[in-house]
Amino acid sequence: MLACQGQNLGPITLARKQIKLIHQDWLLEHIPKVANDCINFDDEWEYRRLLELIDETVPSLLKWTVEKGKDSLHEEVREASKDFAI
């Protein structure tokens, strides 16, 4: 998940651009599983990048993504969740 885990804007932007080319139905079906398997929801950086990715590609999953962080033990993750709350 270069779109979420990278520390450099170049790979993040490139990965997001490629993800946007994938059909919406496929993204809706597969992003939650991939995110659950690959994203560290306790890491504010990864979680915030996931929120940005979802907001740009499949905003219908934003509520699901916000819910994943709203009760985190980590203040920064909860703050990111609030930043994207609908």
Side-chain angles (χ1 to χ4, degrees):
M1 294 274 323
L2 288 176
C4 301
Q5 296 170 336
Q7 297 294 311
N8 184 307
L9 186 59
I12 290 171
T13 304
L14 181 60
R16 289 180 186 180
K17 186 176 180 180
Q18 293 302 308
I19 290 169
K20 288 177 184 178
L21 298 175
I22 300 170
H23 194 275
Q24 282 283 333
D25 291 340
W26 193 93
L27 292 173
L28 281 168
E29 182 178 343
H30 295 284
I31 279 187
K33 179 173 180 357
V34 171
N36 282 327
D37 290 347
C38 298
I39 299 298
N40 178 358
F41 287 94
D42 291 326
D43 182 286
E44 185 268 341
W45 177 268
E46 286 186 33
Y47 179 62
R48 189 173 289 277
R49 300 298 79 79
L50 177 64
L51 286 163
E52 293 167 353
L53 174 67
I54 296 297
D55 191 41
E56 291 179 23
T57 58
V58 276
S60 59
L61 287 176
L62 197 53
K63 183 176 180 179
W64 172 82
T65 314
V66 166
E67 288 293 316
K68 294 291 285 184
K70 79 173 198 171
D71 294 324
S72 174
L73 298 176
H74 303 278
E75 181 179 344
E76 298 88 3
V77 172
R78 290 192 310 271
E79 183 178 312
S81 177
K82 287 178 187 175
D83 289 346
F84 284 82
I86 301 170

